[in-house]
Amino acid sequence: MCGFACLWKVDDEALARRMIEKIEHRGPDATQVYRAANVPAIMAHCRLSIIGPSDGSQPIYSNDNILVANGEIYNYADLRAILGESAFETRSDSETILHLFRSNQLRWLSKLDGMFAFVLATPDRIIAARDPLGIKPLYVARLGDGFAFSSELKAFDGLGLSHVEAVGPGEMFDSLEGNRRWFRISHGAASEEAGFQLDAVCRELRLTLEDAVRKWMVADVEVGSFLSGGLDSSLIAALAARSIDRPLKTFSVGLEGSPDLLAAQRVADHIGSEHDTLAFSAADVAKVLPHVIYHLESADIDLVRSAIPTHFATTLARRHVKAVLTGEGADELFAGYTYHHQYANSPRELADELTRSLTSMHNINLQRVDRITMAQGLEARTPFLDRDLIEFAQSIPASLKMRIVDESSGKTVEKWILREACRDLLPADLVWREKAQFDEGTGTVDVIDEALAIATGTSSPVDRETEARLYRDLLCEQFENPEMILANAGAWVQDRVTVPS
């Protein structure tokens, strides 16, 4: 996991250095700036070494092609075998991108399986691309007659640019051939059809999830797991613990005695993990607000609230590991949000909404996870967003995700099919535990009013309008061009995700 800043046809090495310095938190292990003799590009990279730690430094240069990448390519070993080991000079998974491009295969980009963003330059062309869900960030801006790219918006702050935009999930920017969408999420199924076999689907879902967890644990360093005590992170941790021959390291945060801390400890005891916890207070929350908002690159109330426990979980985990698994994506795949219950009688509308929300995760929950973990040099991995798992989950009828379990009362259970497929992994009361938002289960909601009072220097309760203004002010104080940051931020509106147009 890393960060990068790139200039194309902009001959300003000092500018590239200033840009990468603003995001060096993403890669605390090494920083390099490279100018090639025959390519009109300056590539800057900061590295968090996960795979190939001894020889995987970037930029990677080969035959007038230069690459910088952020993320992980989980099928890199298979690609190396196909492309030929003799072509490779390092053990880095990122090097596969370079050789795959040079192979001239049709739809070469679709052969990459993982979470990634990269920029690849040749003497006459620059290409930038992003993974299917936008797990890893990538931004581009016109700069004079050339272009500037970076992993975070803050790298562009103070440059006086009129417009910065994200390269979208599953999109490729190509200076010669134009932009294109190289990946599209398949539309979700609605209801069971004739001959549907529930047991077979549950078995296949379980196998696909197990495979995703094993795949997303590939690393040359130890990988731990966030463990909130909720269903999603608990299932991931349980499967991860089964896939290794040592105790899994798990991490939980919250207020003393909060529901998540208690549930997480039960899960940790059940799966035999090496468990650590961190309790935080209202004063702690108030203290970290500026840091959280600066790195989050958003002032959205709900995103900030959920970023706070993520910050403390990151602080704890980074003391022990460089990479963690998370449960992100399960709610979007299997209907886990409270507002999804309103679709229980309309599976088609639910399937449509789940598909829509998957395509808009990149600048809401995925932005939170990426920015807050990378602010402390921690790699967050999201096995639920494995490409094979997404494809299979989208084929499961939405009526089995939000299921009506009692016709007389209309009682519905979210993520029913996921719970059913994994019910042997955890105690029954934890498998069927009702959903709680991360900031609710950790107790953040219970102290936010007190923290806001501390931050604003008042003893009165802080209303939502004042809270929004505080977050916006904290963001604006830390950037020279806050409007550029805010223009790229997503927002939760009436329980739905909206993205910038």
Side-chain angles (χ1 to χ4, degrees), residues 166-453:
V167 174
E171 289 185 359
M172 181 172 75
F173 172 101
D174 189 329
S175 62
L176 283 186
E177 299 182 358
N179 301 344
R180 68 178 176 90
R181 176 72 62 84
W182 67 271
F183 182 90
R184 293 184 184 276
I185 294 174
S186 59
H187 211 83
S191 302
E192 303 101 306
E193 298 179 353
F196 183 85
Q197 297 182 316
L198 179 60
D199 288 346
V201 171
C202 283
R203 287 197 300 273
E204 190 64 24
L205 173 57
R206 175 64 171 272
L207 290 172
T208 307
L209 181 58
E210 289 175 354
D211 187 57
V213 171
R214 281 194 297 269
K215 184 194 304 183
W216 288 60
M217 287 196 74
V218 171
D220 291 331
V221 298
E222 187 172 11
V223 179
S225 186
F226 283 163
L227 180 56
S228 71
L231 178 70
D232 309 335
S233 64
S234 296
L235 293 181
I236 294 296
L239 290 173
R242 291 184 171 200
S243 70
I244 56 178
D245 57 4
R246 53 169 172 74
L248 176 73
K249 290 181 179 177
T250 54
F251 311 99
S252 298
V253 299
L255 300 186
E256 289 286 359
S258 62
D260 273 8
L261 282 184
L262 298 175
Q265 186 62 60
R266 284 193 61 206
V267 174
D269 292 342
H270 184 78
I271 67 175
S273 67
E274 184 179 315
H275 192 58
D276 281 286
T277 63
L278 175 67
F280 56 83
S281 66
D284 295 328
V285 172
K287 183 178 179 180
V288 303
L289 270 177
H291 170 91
V292 167
I293 290 171
Y294 173 75
H295 284 286
L296 182 62
E297 298 185 333
S298 173
D300 179 71
I301 289 178
D302 296 304
L303 204 57
V304 172
R305 284 183 171 225
S306 61
I308 291 167
T310 305
H311 164 80
F312 290 113
T314 298
T315 300
L316 173 61
R318 192 60 182 90
R319 297 170 184 169
H320 305 274
V321 296
K322 279 187 171 183
V324 292
L325 305 178
T326 83
E328 290 302 324
D331 291 325
E332 288 78 6
L333 282 178
F334 297 103
Y337 291 118
T338 301
Y339 81 95
H340 288 150
H341 286 270
Q342 71 190 42
Y343 294 106
N345 292 308
S346 182
R348 180 69 273 158
E349 289 187 17
L350 176 58
D352 292 346
E353 171 58 15
L354 294 178
T355 302
R356 186 205 62 78
S357 63
L358 279 169
T359 65
S360 58
M361 289 186 71
H362 60 286
N363 69 343
I364 302 292
N365 284 340
L366 291 179
Q367 178 168 324
R368 167 182 55 81
V369 172
D370 173 82
R371 300 300 195 284
I372 300 304
T373 56
M374 292 306 293
Q376 298 186 56
L378 179 72
E379 175 176 293
R381 298 181 169 192
T382 54
F384 275 115
L385 297 180
D386 178 78
R387 200 161 84 176
D388 292 336
L389 181 55
I390 291 171
E391 191 69 22
F392 186 74
Q394 285 291 87
S395 74
I396 297 174
S399 57
L400 295 176
K401 297 176 180 180
M402 181 61 68
R403 191 172 197 187
I404 300 174
V405 295
D406 188 333
E407 294 287 350
S408 60
S409 66
K411 179 177 174 56
T412 54
V413 174
E414 71 274 6
K415 292 185 284 197
W416 183 87
I417 187 72
L418 179 63
R419 298 173 194 267
E420 186 68 16
C422 300
R423 61 183 179 178
D424 62 305
L425 290 175
L426 302 167
D429 62 314
L430 294 178
V431 171
W432 299 100
R433 181 189 180 203
E434 290 188 7
K435 167 76 175 180
Q437 299 301 121
F438 191 25
D439 56 341
E440 295 172 350
T442 58
T444 306
V445 169
D446 298 334
V447 297
I448 194 68
D449 285 343
E450 185 180 347
L452 290 172

Side-chain angles (χ1 to χ4, degrees), residues 1 33 108 113 117 143 157 221 245 273 437 483:
M1 195 68 70
V33 179
W108 62 274
D113 185 5
L143 189 58
D157 189 40
V221 298
D245 57 4
S273 67
Q437 299 301 121
E483 294 305 321

Side-chain angles (χ1 to χ4, degrees), residues 129-174:
R130 196 174 179 191
D131 66 65
L133 271 292
I135 300 171
K136 293 292 98 189
L138 177 57
Y139 295 95
V140 59
R142 171 71 71 173
L143 189 58
D145 294 328
F147 294 97
F149 302 85
S150 185
S151 300
E152 293 189 15
L153 290 164
K154 56 181 62 67
F156 299 100
D157 189 40
L159 302 187
L161 300 172
S162 59
H163 184 65
V164 177
E165 63 181 15
V167 174
E171 289 185 359
M172 181 172 75
F173 172 101
D174 189 329

Side-chain angles (χ1 to χ4, degrees), residues 51 55-58 60-62 65 67-69 71-85 87-105 108-116 118 120:
I51 294 177
D55 65 351
S57 62
Q58 297 187 39
I60 300 173
Y61 180 77
S62 177
N65 296 321
L67 171 78
V68 285
E72 304 291 348
I73 308 300
Y74 293 116
N75 64 335
Y76 79 98
D78 292 339
L79 290 174
R80 288 176 72 105
I82 294 169
L83 294 167
E85 286 286 347
F88 289 80
E89 297 181 7
T90 76
R91 293 188 63 244
S92 169
D93 58 304
S94 296
E95 191 179 353
T96 58
I97 300 171
L98 186 61
H99 297 295
L100 196 57
F101 166 73
R102 294 178 59 201
S103 71
N104 292 318
Q105 298 183 41
W108 62 274
L109 194 51
S110 66
K111 295 176 172 57
L112 296 173
D113 185 5
M115 55 177 187
F116 56 83
F118 68 82
L120 193 158

Side-chain angles (χ1 to χ4, degrees), residues 38-52:
N38 302 319
V39 179
I42 300 172
M43 305 288 227
H45 188 270
C46 54
R47 185 178 185 225
L48 178 67
S49 53
I50 301 292
I51 294 177

